C-alpha cells in the first residue's frame, strides 16, 4: 500500500493492513524527537495501535530515549534478561558468547497470544521492540485487534462477561508453557496474581476491548475449571484473521504497539539454526478499568 498523509501529521503513514498498523515514513528515531512530533506519533499510535519504523541501526540509548516519551519504562522482574547497561531493556537472544545459535528459545511464553504485563496491577501501556538480528525463517510477531474482538461478540457474550474479572498470573503462564525455567521464590513473591476486568475501556480512546490472553488464569467468583474454559474460549473467539497483522521482521526495524487494545504473539523459530536478538521495553500504563 502507498503512504498517505493523515491529518496534519509531519510524517506519512503506510497501512500495514486495512484494520490495524501503519509504517511511519519520514521520522528518524536516531535523532531526538521533539514534543510536537511525539504528540503526532502518539496520535497515530492511538489511532492505528501498531507503529512500524524502518530505522536501521538504533542504539540502546536511543531506543530507551524514544520509549521514555511514552511514559515510565518498566524494569522487568526477570532480571536475567537485563542488558546493554539499561535495566529498562529486556534482551531476548538465542546466541552464545561467540554469536552462534545456542539451541535455546529465550522466552517460549511469547508464543501464545498475550498482552504484556497483564500479570501486574499496573499493566503495560506500550511495548517497543527493536530487531537487531532476525531469523530467516520464523520468529514473526502477530498482533490482533481487541477492540474488534469485543465489537464482534454477540450480545449474549457481551452481557455474560460485562462485569467479570479474570485473575492474571505470570507464574501460571510461565509454568504452563515451559517448566524448564521456573521463577525463583523471590520473583514469585514480587508478582502475586492480580485481577482485571475482562472487558476494559481504553483510557485514552474510550473504546471497549477484551483484556485477556495467556496470563489470564481463572475468573473471580466462578468455579476454577469453568473460568478456565471461558478464558480459553474467549481467547480464541477474540482473534480474527482480518483483524490480525503478521509482521515478518527485517533487521533494524522498531515496532511500538498498544498493549491496552491488542494481543500479540511470536511465531516459533529453530533456535539451533536461526539467530534472533531483539531488545524490548515496556511502558507502564495504569490499572485497567
Ligand atoms: Fe509480549
Amino acid at each position: 500500500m502507498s503512504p498517505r498523509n493523515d491529518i496534519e501529521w509531519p510524517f506519512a503513514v503506510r497501512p500495514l493492513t486495512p484494520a490495524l498498523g501503519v509504517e511511519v515514513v519520514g521520522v528518524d528515531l536516531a535523532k531526538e524527537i521533539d514534543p510536537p512530533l511525539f504528540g503526532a506519533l502518539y496520535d497515530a499510535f492511538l489511532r492505528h495501535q501498531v507503529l512500524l519504523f524502518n530505522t536501521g541501526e538504533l542504539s540502546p540509548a536511543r531506543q530507551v530515549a524514544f520509549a521514555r516519551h511514552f511514559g515510565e519504562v518498566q524494569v522487568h522482574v526477570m532480571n536475567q534478561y537485563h542488558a546493554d547497561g539499561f535495566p529498562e531493556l529486556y534482551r531476548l537472544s538465542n546466541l552464545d558468547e561467540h554469536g552462534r545459535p545456542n539451541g535455546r528459545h529465550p522466552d517460549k511464553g511469547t508464543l501464545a497470544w498475550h498482552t504484556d504485563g497483564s500479570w501486574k496491577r499496573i499493566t503495560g501501556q506500550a511495548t517497543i521492540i527493536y530487531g537487531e538480528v532476525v531469523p530467516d525463517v520464523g520468529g514473526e510477531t502477530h498482533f490482533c485487534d481487541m477492540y474488534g474482538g469485543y465489537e464482534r461478540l454477540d450480545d449474549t457474550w457481551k452481557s455474560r462477561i460485562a462485569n467479570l474479572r479474570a485473575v492474571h498470573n505470570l507464574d501460571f503462564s510461565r509454568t504452563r508453557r515451559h517448566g524448564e525455567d521456573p521463577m525463583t521464590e523471590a520473583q514469585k513473591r514480587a508478582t502475586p496474581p492480580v485481577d482485571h476486568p475482562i472487558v476494559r475501556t481504553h483510557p485514552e480512546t474510550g473504546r471497549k476491548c477484551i483484556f485477556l490472553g495467556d496470563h489470564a488464569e481463572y475468573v473471580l467468583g466462578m468455579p476454577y475449571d469453568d473460568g478456565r474454559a471461558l478464558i480459553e474460549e474467549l481467547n480464541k473467539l477474540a482473534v480474527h484473521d482480518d483483524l490480525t497483522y503478521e509482521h515478518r521482521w527485517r533487521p533494524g526495524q522498531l515496532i511500538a504497539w498498544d498493549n491496552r487494545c491488542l494481543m500479540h504473539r511470536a511465531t516459533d523459530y529453530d533456535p539451533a539454526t536461526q539467530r534472533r536478538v531483539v531488545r524490548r521495553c515496556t511502558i507502564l500504563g495504569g490499572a485497567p478499568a
Side-chain angles (χ1 to χ4, degrees):
M1 295 185 216
S2 55
R4 67 169 199 264
N5 220 317
D6 263 58
I7 325 169
E8 72 287 5
W9 294 338
F11 47 81
V13 295
R14 178 183 286 125
L16 299 171
T17 74
L20 76 158
V22 290
E23 178 190 349
V24 175
V25 181
V27 173
D28 183 359
L29 295 183
K31 297 187 178 139
E32 178 55 35
I33 305 292
D34 64 28
L37 175 56
F38 184 75
L41 288 169
Y42 198 72
D43 191 26
F45 170 81
L46 290 177
R47 182 177 299 246
H48 296 293
Q49 303 165 265
V50 178
L51 300 184
L52 166 67
F53 297 84
N54 279 291
T55 60
E57 188 71 30
L58 188 73
S59 68
R62 291 304 318 157
Q63 182 180 356
V64 172
F66 179 58
R68 284 179 180 149
H69 282 286
F70 285 79
E72 185 184 350
V73 186
Q74 175 188 352
V75 173
H76 203 283
V77 64
M78 304 302 283
N79 47 13
Q80 67 265 41
Y81 297 109
H82 293 171
D84 299 313
F86 291 94
E88 301 97 328
L89 284 180
Y90 179 91
R91 200 159 194 262
L92 294 168
S93 167
N94 71 321
L95 303 185
D96 65 17
E97 65 272 28
H98 307 295
R100 293 182 301 232
N102 63 16
R104 290 195 302 276
H105 195 297
D107 189 356
K108 289 182 186 162
T110 61
L111 300 177
W113 288 113
H114 65 284
T115 170
D116 288 337
S118 75
W119 42 271
K120 298 180 70 173
R121 178 66 57 199
I122 303 298
T123 63
Q125 174 223 39
T127 296
I128 299 171
I129 286 191
Y130 175 75
E132 282 181 19
V133 180
V134 302
D136 297 323
V137 180
E140 292 90 3
T141 305
H142 294 178
F143 302 93
C144 64
D145 168 24
M146 288 295 99
Y147 293 133
Y150 177 75
E151 286 157 10
R152 289 189 185 181
L153 292 176
D154 63 27
D155 289 344
T156 307
W157 262 109
K158 284 182 181 167
S159 59
R160 186 176 167 202
I161 62 175
N163 296 306
L164 294 182
R165 298 180 71 84
V167 174
H168 295 241
N169 182 354
L170 180 63
D171 187 34
F172 162 77
S173 51
R174 285 187 68 91
T175 304
R176 189 161 68 125
R177 296 293 172 194
H178 53 123
E180 78 270 22
D181 183 21
M183 293 170 69
T184 66
E185 287 306 314
Q187 286 168 334
K188 285 183 198 174
R189 276 196 300 278
T191 57
V194 296
D195 59 283
H196 297 300
I198 290 178
V199 180
R200 73 177 293 183
T201 302
H202 192 292
E204 295 180 277
T205 66
R207 297 175 66 192
K208 286 185 177 180
C209 47
I210 296 175
F211 192 70
L212 279 178
D214 196 50
H215 303 305
E217 181 177 6
Y218 63 95
V219 178
L220 281 187
M222 190 179 278
Y224 184 88
D225 289 346
D226 294 351
R228 285 289 323 129
L230 184 145
I231 288 168
E232 292 285 328
E233 189 176 357
L234 205 45
N235 273 337
K236 288 196 185 83
L237 264 181
V239 177
H240 300 272
D241 285 349
D242 63 326
L243 300 180
T244 297
Y245 170 57
E246 174 177 15
H247 184 66
R248 272 204 59 76
W249 286 89
R250 295 201 309 269
Q253 291 183 321
L254 180 141
I255 292 186
W257 72 81
D258 191 339
N259 276 302
R260 300 167 292 187
C261 52
L262 290 169
M263 290 200 294
H264 64 280
R265 67 178 177 186
T267 64
D268 209 358
Y269 66 95
D270 182 356
T273 60
Q274 299 288 313
R275 301 162 74 236
R276 185 172 193 262
V277 182
V278 303
R279 305 189 306 242
R280 189 179 91 184
C281 356
T282 303
I283 314 301
L284 294 170

